Amino acid sequence: MQRTNRTNNFLATAVAPRHRRGRVSAGFAHMRDKQVPLHLKFLALTLATCFTILLVAFEVPLEGVLALAMPILGVPFDLAVDGLEVVALPLLLTLALLPSLVKMRARQLS
């Protein structure tokens, strides 16, 4: 079975030598790369979002107690942390997961 040029390019970028960049930087590169399949990007985002939802659900009781313990600063701080957590955490986790998913996909194709 002959592989297409697109598959060969995908394999070449997926198993390229590691750079000194971190996982998030590699995730940014994979997000911009048009040769990485779209379903891998959505899978990474879905997994990161599910993890964030679980994390928020588990820390709601603790945050409620802390917000009530510090009535003046507790509620605004709690809202700021939750907002940052809901927006930034899925993006960072997506970028951290994507290189691993790309590598798994490359192993399946080889």
Side-chain angles (χ1 to χ4, degrees):
M1 184 164 99
Q2 206 173 33
R3 295 187 189 270
T4 63
N5 191 20
R6 182 176 178 195
T7 304
N8 289 336
N9 287 340
F10 173 72
L11 287 174
T13 58
V15 294
R18 288 189 174 252
H19 299 285
R20 293 183 182 234
R21 303 181 301 183
R23 292 182 67 81
V24 174
S25 297
F28 270 120
H30 286 306
M31 276 294 199
R32 287 190 305 261
D33 191 3
K34 293 184 180 180
Q35 294 174 351
V36 175
L38 193 60
H39 66 86
L40 284 181
K41 297 174 186 179
F42 281 126
L43 178 64
L45 184 61
T46 303
L47 290 174
T49 303
C50 290
F51 179 77
T52 303
I53 289 170
L54 282 174
L55 184 67
V56 168
F58 283 132
E59 65 185 28
V60 163
L62 178 64
E63 286 181 351
V65 170
L66 290 175
L68 291 175
M70 299 180 292
I72 295 174
L73 295 176
V75 174
F77 182 71
D78 184 37
L79 291 175
V81 168
D82 279 343
L84 182 66
E85 187 175 52
V86 168
V87 173
L89 191 60
L91 293 176
L92 289 174
L93 288 175
T94 298
L95 296 175
L97 281 172
L98 194 56
S100 298
L101 292 174
V102 168
K103 208 178 270 189
M104 286 173 38
R105 171 78 173 166
R107 285 186 195 139
Q108 287 177 349
L109 291 176
S110 60

